[in-house]
Amino acid sequence: MRYSALGVFWHGLTGNKGWKPVWRNPDPKPHYDVVIIGGGGHGLSTAYYLAERYGIRNVAVLEKGYLGSGSIGRNTTIVRANYMLEGNSQFYSHSLKLWENLEAELNYNVMHSQRGQVMLGHSDGQMDMLARRGNMMRMQGDDAVLWGREDVRKHLPYIDHENARFPVYGGLMHWRGGTARHDAVAWGYARGADMRGVDLIQNCEVTGIRVEGGVVRGVDTTRGHIGAGKVALTAAGRSSQVAAMAGLRLPIESHVLQAFVTEGLKPVIPHVVSFGMGHFYISQSDKGGLVFGGDLDMYNSYAQRGNLPMVEHVAEAGMALMPMIGKAKMLRSWGGVMDMSMDGSPIIDKTDIAGLFLNCGWCYGGFKAVPGSGDAFAHLIASGNHHPAADKFLLSRFRTGHVIDETGNGATPNLH
Amino acid sequence: MRITCPICGDRDLREFHYRGAAKLMHRPAPDAGDEAFYDYVHIRENPPGLNRELWFHELGCRAWLVAERDVTSHEFKSVELAAEAKRGAK
Ligand SMILES: Cc1cc2nc3c(=O)[nH]c(=O)nc-3n(C[C@H](O)[C@H](O)[C@H](O)COP(=O)(O)OP(=O)(O)OC[C@H]3O[C@@H](n4cnc5c(N)ncnc54)[C@H](O)[C@@H]3O)c2cc1C
Ligand SMILES: [Zn+2]
């Protein structure tokens, strides 16, 4: 079914009784050309681009829970292209361009809103750093504007500009940055893949990967054995666990990241704002809730829930930047498991096992990467060659020392 | 989460700094070769169950600790002084 304004109007007049489920719920077939492990953003977008751009339609996405139950439905939805290093910079730039046409491409409203994302600076040193980042973003061909104090006052009148410890010196505005409705991104890709013949198989946990003579043959699942010509791994926070089924050991630790949402309020925060002196970033959803988050809890975790010290830290940072949100009631908080790589950058690569492909290490930036990653991974699976926008995301870089360490923290995954 | 430091007793999570896998205590010999250092610096077992890990009691006795913790339930199974753990491993 193609969505249109007229269709929405017509369904409205007929009591909204005519809507049908958006994807099938098929039983697994005995064999597929490509089996994708993990029905999050990356698995679903990979399936979509395999079918749409490369004509590979005998594909299954195996998901242990329901589609979108992982981090794709748990993130703070920020979409941006403000990376600095060769490798990351061209990739996120490519991904943002795909975002800009995503709704037309998928015929699905993912509520992508380029409302602008601003990083604030609170010292001369931080302003120099923002200027440098802005220049690198512009050299990549993306947008960035350096704001002085007065610009910040004009656009963000509601923050505490004169905080005694962290006065605002300026900021870096990335106008093409913004947010999108996270679930809708999963659903839009799922629908697009299903319409092109991809089987989306839920409640199907992969428990083993079969390799014979160095070649991948298929997977064992809670719904039986499924043969496969190629197997693609997109299990995000559980990448280490799934890769171990094929004997691979990864440069990854799993960590928990929390997020928070308040009750719905009238429009008050028009952009995405990140504090420069504490871990706090915020935007307002179209429903009115203030959606905000901070840093990792810092210790390894597969729990999808965090502890109170980080809640306290995020609340304190929020109050330091914008005391006005202090009276808003917090509705919910939750956590998601992040595949933190040792240099903070992702991996999109082949493996030593023929037919087994790896996509992981998204850290807490994997939502904005969903279109670019799916496109690049599908390209790699279909052609065997790296997509030009993602040809630095090699697993071997950790062995050769060509790490892409955006924050310069070294092999400490929780600090990236 | 609370951690029972062998020296200070049951303390709040905020007093501790997390460093990562306990294997970091066992640095390869200088001549162990590239592969050994690649493994030491970059590869992590990252198990979904029991994890052996290093914690620093930064706002307490400032001892390094080795803990065994279930990373799915966050429950600590054991905590010992890193110095003793290292002696025991030898
Ligand atoms: C609180 C929070 C805030 C975030 N904020 C942002 C942000 O603002 N901007 C941004 O760009 N990114 C953000 N991220 C990061 C982003 O959400 C993730 O990097 C991204 O969603 C990970 O990729 P995915 O969508 O494919 O993962 P997931 O949705 O986690 O998909 C992986 C899937 O694999 C399945 N799976 C695992 N093991 C198996 C198995 N054995 N068999 C079958 N299926 C399996 C899981 O059930 C899961 O559904 C945030 C994350 C969190 C938790
Ligand atoms: Zn102590």
Side-chain angles (χ1 to χ4, degrees), chain A residues 222-284:
Chain A
T222 48
R223 297 179 67 176
H225 174 73
I226 303 174
K230 294 174 181 174
V231 172
L233 207 155
T234 55
R238 292 200 171 261
S239 293
S240 300
Q241 196 188 354
V242 178
M245 295 173 192
L248 298 178
R249 297 163 71 232
L250 301 180
I252 283 182
E253 281 181 8
S254 296
H255 284 262
V256 58
L257 181 66
Q258 303 191 61
F260 312 88
V261 65
T262 69
E263 60 194 325
L265 304 168
K266 287 187 176 168
V268 55
I269 298 179
H271 314 108
V272 181
V273 182
S274 10
F275 189 26
M277 290 308 295
H279 289 283
F280 176 78
Y281 39 86
I282 188 166
S283 67
Q284 188 167 18

Side-chain angles (χ1 to χ4, degrees), chain A residues 79-152:
Chain A
V79 174
R80 57 189 162 90
N82 59 353
Y83 285 69
M84 294 199 294
L85 296 187
E86 167 81 14
N88 279 333
S89 173
Q90 65 264 41
F91 173 77
Y92 288 103
S93 182
H94 174 65
S95 197
L96 183 55
K97 286 174 197 133
L98 292 176
W99 274 105
E100 286 171 333
N101 192 38
L102 195 59
E103 287 160 339
E105 160 136 22
L106 295 177
N107 174 233
Y108 203 87
N109 184 7
V110 302
M111 298 164 79
H112 182 215
S113 154
Q114 295 183 292
R115 55 186 65 183
Q117 181 241 355
V118 61
M119 284 184 282
L120 297 171
H122 308 267
S123 66
D124 290 331
Q126 224 173 16
M127 290 309 296
D128 287 349
M129 202 190 74
L130 291 176
R132 170 170 177 255
R133 179 180 292 270
N135 284 333
M136 293 181 90
M137 289 160 67
R138 293 173 68 130
M139 268 156 33
Q140 176 58 44
D142 294 314
D143 68 288
V145 192
L146 196 63
W147 276 358
R149 280 197 180 88
E150 288 316 308
D151 301 306
V152 180

Side-chain angles (χ1 to χ4, degrees), chain B residues 5-9 11 15-16 57 59-63 65 81:
Chain B
C5 171
I7 294 174
C8 314
R11 311 296 297 200
E15 297 183 5
F16 297 85
H57 197 181
L59 302 180
C61 63
R62 299 186 72 82
L65 310 174
L81 294 174

Side-chain angles (χ1 to χ4, degrees), chain A residues 238 240-241 249-254 298-303 305 307 309 312 342 398-399 411-412 414, chain B residues 1 13-14 18-21 35 38-39 41-48 51 55 69 71-74:
Chain A
R238 292 200 171 261
S240 300
Q241 196 188 354
R249 297 163 71 232
L250 301 180
I252 283 182
E253 281 181 8
S254 296
M298 289 292 160
Y299 47 81
N300 284 43
S301 176
Y302 281 89
R305 66 175 184 283
N307 270 284
E312 185 179 41
M342 297 310 265
F398 297 96
R399 199 174 243 120
T412 45
N414 50 350
Chain B
M1 247 155 71
L13 175 62
R14 275 168 290 201
Y18 181 71
R19 179 64 184 90
E35 196 56 27
Y38 162 67
D39 194 292
V41 174
H42 288 301
I43 297 297
R44 297 289 180 269
E45 303 315 323
N46 196 22
N51 195 38
W55 291 84
R69 185 175 56 97
V71 298
T72 301
S73 67
H74 293 164

Side-chain angles (χ1 to χ4, degrees), chain A residues 290-340:
Chain A
L290 304 180
V291 179
F292 55 98
D295 207 348
L296 298 174
D297 269 37
M298 289 292 160
Y299 47 81
N300 284 43
S301 176
Y302 281 89
Q304 291 188 318
R305 66 175 184 283
N307 270 284
L308 290 172
M310 192 45 67
V311 181
E312 185 179 41
H313 173 89
V314 172
E316 282 171 357
M319 287 303 289
L321 180 65
M322 43 181 80
M324 74 163 182
I325 67 171
K327 290 219 166 79
K329 291 187 186 69
M330 205 162 91
L331 279 190
R332 279 175 287 127
S333 73
W334 62 93
V337 182
M338 312 282 75
D339 36 337
M340 300 301 298

